[in-house]
Amino acid sequence: MRGWRHAIVPALLVFVFAGVAALVTWSDLPPEERPAVAAAFSAQRVAVLLILALGFAAAVGFAAKRIADRTVLPARRIAEGMKLMLSSNPDFRVTPAGAPEIAEVATLANQLADANAALKSDVEAKIGAARADLEAEKNRLAALMSELASSVVVCNLEGAILLYNGSAKRLLGGPDGSLVGLGRSVFGVLDRNVILHAIDSIGRQLANAVPHPDAQFVAAGPEGGLMRVRVAPVLAHAEGVPPELTGYVLLVADVTDSVEAGQRRDALLQSLTESGRAALANIRASIENLVEYTDMKPERRAQFTAIIRDEALKLSERLDAVTREFSEVVKSEYSVEEMRGEDLVAVARARIESRVGIPTKLETIDPNVWLKVDSFSIAQGLSYLASRLKEDFEIREVRFRLGVSGRHAQLDLLWRGAPLSAETAFTWENDPFHLGGEPSPLTLKNVLERHGGEGWYQRDLPLQSAYYRLVLPLATAPARARFTAAVASRPEYYDFDLFRQLPQNRVLEERPLAELAFTVFDTETTGLDPSAGDEIISIGAVRIVNGRLLAGESFESLVDPKRELSAASIDVHGITPEMLAGQPGIGDVLPRFARFAEGTVLVAHNAAFDMRFLAMKEAATGVRFTQPVLDTLLLSAVANPNQETHSLEAIAERLGVAIVGRHTALGDALVTGDVFLRLVPLLAKQGIRTLGEARAASEKTFYARVTY
Amino acid sequence: MAKRVLIADDEANIVASLEFLMEQAGFEVRVATNGREALEAAQSFLPDLVLLDVMMPEKNGYEVCQSLRQDPALAAVKIVMLSAKGREVEIAKGMELGADAYVTKPFSTRDLVAKVREMLGV
């Protein structure tokens, strides 16, 4: 039936048109002519005319329909298909149909889509590969950093830490490691002026095109130790322009011990030269007198002879004392490292073969032994033993054996022949090493002592040998185990997105919230009124950097309020007087908290309350919090002005934040941090994106007018 | 009249030699065994030359040297510092503070006697 529609519709149109035309003509005819016309259009004629007209119209309808089917409709389908390809389904292809010209367009559209898809997947593959390379590189870098024994901190020009390793956190992070963290200011750890001076110097070297610009300084660390810091620039290279400084790498080493040892050594050297000069002066003067004045009285002669003897004895004593002290200094300076036992044996063998000149061999060597030793002094000790064996017993070859017994390693030096006598062993253990003109203040005994080890000699009947056994401490954690741990804890160690942070000339207020570093904190107090003597008893804080809540970088401390706690407040926070006994006072805790918060924006729920407690302590502690403050209570009121309550619980529930550990300072800080992160996108919908906008909007809310 | 030499040193063994040498050279000798004694002896004994040790109890040689130079009655006294401190800065310090000569220990007794004679013009 449907196929006929295209014929019937035009036929009906013709019929209607002809009918209307006939009616109009009929009504226009003068009445006298109507009978003639009626006669001319007999029913038969009209029927024939109509049938002819209808047949023609049907033919035209069919033809038009056929043309439309082969052109317009396929073109429309192609258009729809291409829209699909462009938007939701890139895999869709149009079916070529209709007139050859239209079918060709369809084929070409498909080919274009194929080419586009190939290009796209090619680009995606390349991006994927590049990203994987980058990720692998980042991981390698992070693994390398965390494995480094030296402490490394990378900062941007504002001093924000972008990367650090575990060693840096241990060395500079303060008692709880919290001073070093991503986005934290390095100036909280090392003196700002000294670092800026070093960067100035690097800038000058860059300007003068010095090949490898760097700077060094020694500064006090956070706990009073002496740190030697090497600063190297991080440069952005671009074609045709001089490299631009975008940040710097700090290599930090604790030199407290070596500086002290150096000073002690200097002092020893000075006192040795001075006492030596004085004694020699006395001896020389006396001798010259005896030689020059041969005729002096016998009692004078006796006096000068006695002086010579006396001074010589004093000088020997002094030298002995200095030698003892010197070996103490050397002892304090020695460096223990973790190394494979096998490698230590290899070092000792090479040394014995080159310095002592006798061949060495291996018995059983346990390859899994890791030692914690100063390899140089142990190798020196073994070489010394070998040289005594060669000189005193004419031993021509020594062998090594390495095994484990309990928590210690046994390193044996074997030789074919008689075991040592007790006297010989005693002498060898207590004589300072002296190897081929290479004197050392050390003895085998103090090398073993400083390792917490032991040594003894024994006979090995099956091997028809004797041996001297060194018992040495095993490394508690072999390097491989440490490696896994380091990788597991890697993710918070770097955040290269911080490199993209804007230079400091851009005003803080104009920066987007999503880009800033925040310290979200909460305090617990003895009561609600600081001016009536209520005190802080706990501070908890956590950091947000680049939109991430870094739970690993938290601050938590109880504070001894030095006053009584009311029962009502104990009910709120659950902190009892016993828990506070012996805790640090606010004078200790507040400066630490200030360092933790340095260079960040403060966030708290109902911040006015906490800030008031902090402000009350300004005079007593000298700590001022001058950074901007945001209040989640006010921000929530800005984001949801029609809600009645903005308590932390209510907001958390509304925003779907799980509440854990409420009414501990750190627990509340974590909840507040989560709430804050969820408020940021809500505020953005209202066009509030920057710190300045957030602060301005906060000030306008009703809640901001309530003061404490 | 014999020239007078004051020996200021706390070490008996060097004092014995210095005293012997100065007496042999024909000078009148007095001995002080610390810095304060040295200043007192200088005022009563009025020496022509002081052999002054640097490291002494009570007052060290540098301080004694300064005090001697401030006393108008002792304006002409020659000061020879004797010291086991031999670094350049220490020698410079002694000379700056008014010593006429700085002799580091150990020294040649013959040279010392010659120098003292020369400074006293005998």
Side-chain angles (χ1 to χ4, degrees):
Chain A
M1 223 6 240
R2 278 181 62 85
W4 285 100
R5 199 184 60 193
H6 303 286
I8 291 167
V9 172
L12 280 175
L13 282 174
V14 169
F15 186 78
V16 171
F17 181 74
V20 171
L23 272 172
V24 170
T25 316
W26 185 257
S27 62
D28 281 356
L29 278 180
E32 62 276 12
E33 290 178 16
R34 280 183 188 168
V37 173
F41 285 90
S42 69
Q44 267 181 335
R45 277 193 192 163
V46 169
V48 172
L49 278 173
L50 265 176
I51 286 164
L52 281 176
L54 282 172
F56 178 72
V60 169
F62 270 118
K65 154 79 171 128
R66 218 180 129 64
I67 293 169
D69 279 353
R70 291 176 53 79
T71 56
V72 178
L73 289 180
R76 200 181 284 159
R77 259 182 235 124
I78 292 172
E80 277 170 10
M82 286 174 80
K83 269 185 206 157
L84 258 177
M85 284 188 240
L86 272 175
S87 55
S88 49
N89 184 5
D91 294 333
F92 186 83
R93 292 294 177 271
V94 288
T95 324
E101 294 82 358
I102 301 289
E104 197 186 350
V105 169
T107 312
L108 287 176
N110 284 345
Q111 285 174 4
L112 204 59
D114 288 344
N116 187 40
L119 203 64
K120 205 165 151 191
S121 75
D122 188 34
V123 167
E124 269 168 10
K126 278 183 183 151
I127 290 176
R131 195 174 285 159
D133 279 355
L134 200 63
E135 194 58 30
E137 243 167 57
K138 264 183 170 181
N139 287 341
R140 272 199 295 275
L141 176 64
L144 172 74
M145 299 286 295
S146 51
E147 268 307 283
L148 276 182
S150 2
S151 305
V152 183
V153 177
V154 181
C155 304
N156 65 14
L157 283 182
E158 296 173 278
I161 297 175
L162 320 176
L163 179 152
Y164 61 91
N165 63 2
S167 164
K169 198 177 178 74
R170 285 189 293 278
L171 186 60
L172 300 171
D176 53 357
S178 68
L179 296 178
V180 168
L182 292 182
R184 313 246 11 225
S185 175
V186 75
F187 305 138
V189 184
L190 293 167
D191 190 331
R192 180 193 182 94
N193 292 325
V194 186
I195 294 181
L196 293 182
H197 180 77
I199 292 171
D200 271 359
S201 143
I202 288 176
R204 275 196 303 280
Q205 294 174 47
L206 283 172
N208 295 327
V210 173
H212 300 288
D214 73 343
Q216 279 200 28
F217 59 86
V218 173
E223 283 165 281
L226 278 179
M227 304 292 150
R228 193 189 58 230
V229 184
R230 226 193 110 208
V231 187
V234 177
L235 299 172
H237 294 275
E239 286 287 323
V241 287
E244 189 199 350
L245 188 66
T246 60
Y248 44 92
V249 180
L250 303 175
L251 281 166
V252 189
D254 187 344
V255 291
T256 318
D257 288 346
S258 64
V259 165
E260 272 171 15
Q263 283 167 346
R264 276 172 70 194
R265 208 167 29 199
D266 288 353
L268 267 180
L269 186 65
Q270 199 181 347
S271 97
L272 183 62
T273 36
E274 285 174 9
S275 57
R277 278 173 182 282
L280 281 174
N282 299 350
I283 292 171
R284 183 170 171 182
S286 301
I287 289 176
E288 285 179 2
N289 289 344
L290 289 170
V291 173
E292 197 86 2
Y293 305 93
T294 42
D295 55 345
M296 70 170 74
K297 289 182 198 143
E299 50 272 30
R300 269 276 191 226
R301 182 171 298 276
Q303 184 193 10
F304 285 129
T305 318
I307 288 175
I308 292 169
R309 191 185 159 74
D310 180 40
E311 289 292 336
L313 281 174
K314 278 202 290 198
L315 187 56
S316 326
E317 275 165 23
R318 182 75 198 119
L319 284 174
D320 285 347
V322 167
T323 313
R324 271 196 307 277
E325 277 181 65
F326 184 65
S327 73
E328 284 299 315
V329 173
V330 175
K331 209 186 270 188
S332 71
E333 250 183 306
Y334 94 120
S335 58
V336 213
E337 57 196 330
E338 287 178 14
M339 72 184 300
R340 281 159 63 92
E342 226 175 339
D343 296 341
L344 177 64
V345 170
V347 170
R349 287 182 72 188
R351 203 176 158 85
I352 289 174
E353 286 178 5
S354 67
R355 304 287 172 103
V356 185
I358 57 173
T360 63
K361 283 195 179 149
L362 297 179
E363 294 287 340
T364 13
I365 300 286
D366 182 343
N368 296 318
V369 173
W370 280 79
L371 299 166
K372 200 168 185 176
V373 290
D374 171 20
S375 55
F376 181 74
S377 68
I378 296 279
Q380 237 186 347
L382 289 165
S383 311
Y384 170 74
L385 279 178
S387 77
R388 297 300 299 254
L389 284 167
K390 180 190 173 195
E391 283 161 21
D392 300 1
F393 292 106
E394 296 177 348
I395 299 297
R396 289 287 159 255
E397 178 194 276
V398 291
R399 284 163 291 146
F400 285 94
R401 181 166 62 191
L402 179 66
V404 175
S405 163
R407 295 196 296 123
H408 286 89
Q410 297 176 335
L411 177 55
D412 298 342
L413 183 75
L414 299 95
W415 64 91
R416 207 167 279 267
L420 303 180
S421 71
E423 293 78 19
T424 316
F426 181 83
T427 326
W428 289 9
E429 283 166 352
N430 288 285
D431 274 3
F433 301 153
H434 203 282
L435 279 169
E438 195 183 292
S440 162
L442 295 175
T443 66
L444 188 58
K445 191 160 180 266
N446 53 42
V447 167
L448 287 167
E449 266 172 11
R450 70 156 67 156
H451 281 90
E454 261 300 343
W456 65 82
Y457 54 95
Q458 219 160 350
R459 184 191 280 275
D460 189 315
L461 286 173
L463 286 174
Q464 296 183 314
S465 298
Y467 59 86
Y468 190 89
R469 168 166 289 175
L470 303 176
V471 177
L472 297 168
L474 286 170
T476 42
R480 274 163 297 186
R482 276 196 303 133
F483 185 78
T484 345
V487 170
S489 57
R490 167 180 58 81
E492 288 198 356
Y493 280 2
Y494 66 86
D495 185 346
F496 293 112
D497 290 344
L498 289 168
F499 254 130
R500 293 189 217 116
Q501 276 197 354
L502 293 158
Q504 64 200 118
N505 54 12
R506 183 154 158 205
V507 186
L508 204 57
E509 293 275 304
E510 283 174 14
R511 289 172 55 167
L513 293 174
E515 189 181 271
L516 289 165
F518 299 94
T519 300
V520 189
F521 77 104
D522 184 52
T523 58
E524 299 296 330
T525 58
T526 58
L528 300 177
D529 195 351
S531 49
D534 277 324
E535 296 280 353
I536 295 173
I537 53 172
S538 167
I539 301 180
V542 65
R543 299 168 59 77
I544 291 177
V545 178
N546 268 5
R548 278 201 290 162
L549 187 71
L550 301 178
E553 289 183 15
S554 57
F555 178 96
E556 189 172 26
S557 182
L558 290 173
V559 183
D560 184 354
K562 314 253 159 72
R563 56 156 282 171
E564 283 177 10
L565 293 180
S566 72
S569 81
I570 295 176
D571 285 345
V572 174
H573 47 62
I575 296 172
T576 60
E578 296 77 51
M579 291 162 74
L580 296 176
Q583 295 294 338
I586 193 76
D588 290 327
V589 176
L590 219 49
R592 278 205 292 130
F593 177 61
R595 270 160 110 177
F596 180 82
E598 177 159 330
T600 65
V601 174
L602 292 176
V603 177
H605 190 75
N606 195 0
F609 176 80
D610 302 280
M611 291 313 291
R612 195 147 166 247
F613 272 88
L614 296 183
M616 289 295 286
K617 292 291 155 205
E618 212 173 81
T621 60
V623 176
R624 278 189 73 189
F625 292 87
T626 51
Q627 57 264 72
V629 182
L630 285 177
D631 186 342
T632 45
L633 188 152
L634 300 182
L635 293 176
S636 167
V638 171
N640 298 306
N642 299 319
Q643 299 292 334
E644 277 181 13
T645 58
H646 295 283
S647 70
L648 191 55
E649 283 95 341
I651 305 173
E653 199 185 330
R654 263 206 302 279
L655 299 176
V657 174
I659 295 178
V660 189
R662 265 235 67 184
H663 288 309
T664 68
L666 182 57
D668 279 3
L670 283 165
V671 173
T672 309
D674 247 341
V675 160
F676 175 71
L677 282 177
R678 288 178 202 223
L679 282 171
V680 170
L682 289 179
L683 294 168
K685 280 190 191 151
Q686 298 186 23
I688 298 166
R689 289 194 173 78
T690 64
L691 176 63
E693 287 162 358
R695 297 214 306 162
S698 299
E699 275 170 31
K700 282 192 208 139
T701 62
F702 165 76
Y703 287 92
R705 279 171 249 141
V706 182
T707 52
Y708 287 85
Chain B
M1 198 182 128
K3 295 275 186 186
R4 299 172 161 202
V5 173
L6 172 64
I7 298 171
D9 201 318
D10 60 318
E11 268 191 85
N13 285 347
I14 196 69
V15 167
S17 288
L18 293 173
E19 196 177 8
F20 174 75
L21 284 167
M22 293 303 128
E23 277 168 2
Q24 289 294 320
F27 301 125
E28 196 182 334
V29 180
R30 182 149 321 165
V31 175
T33 57
N34 64 47
R36 196 177 34 77
E37 239 178 65
L39 280 177
E40 286 164 9
Q43 270 149 17
S44 56
F45 180 61
L46 296 174
D48 299 295
L49 186 142
V50 186
L51 289 175
L52 185 60
D53 181 34
V54 172
M55 284 174 294
M56 279 189 301
E58 306 275 334
K59 270 186 174 190
N60 68 37
Y62 294 129
E63 292 171 281
V64 173
C65 184
Q66 264 178 314
S67 303
L68 289 177
R69 283 295 173 236
Q70 279 158 13
D71 188 342
L74 296 166
V77 71
K78 303 278 181 196
I79 300 175
V80 177
M81 296 195 94
L82 287 175
S83 175
K85 288 183 181 291
R87 292 188 301 147
E88 267 180 54
V89 283
E90 290 153 350
I91 297 172
K93 181 176 175 183
M95 300 303 279
E96 283 293 317
L97 293 176
D100 297 290
Y102 192 104
V103 176
T104 52
K105 294 179 181 176
F107 49 84
S108 148
T109 49
R110 197 178 291 186
D111 290 353
L112 180 71
V113 172
K115 183 164 253 166
V116 170
R117 280 183 194 281
E118 182 200 317
M119 289 173 88
L120 292 175
V122 293

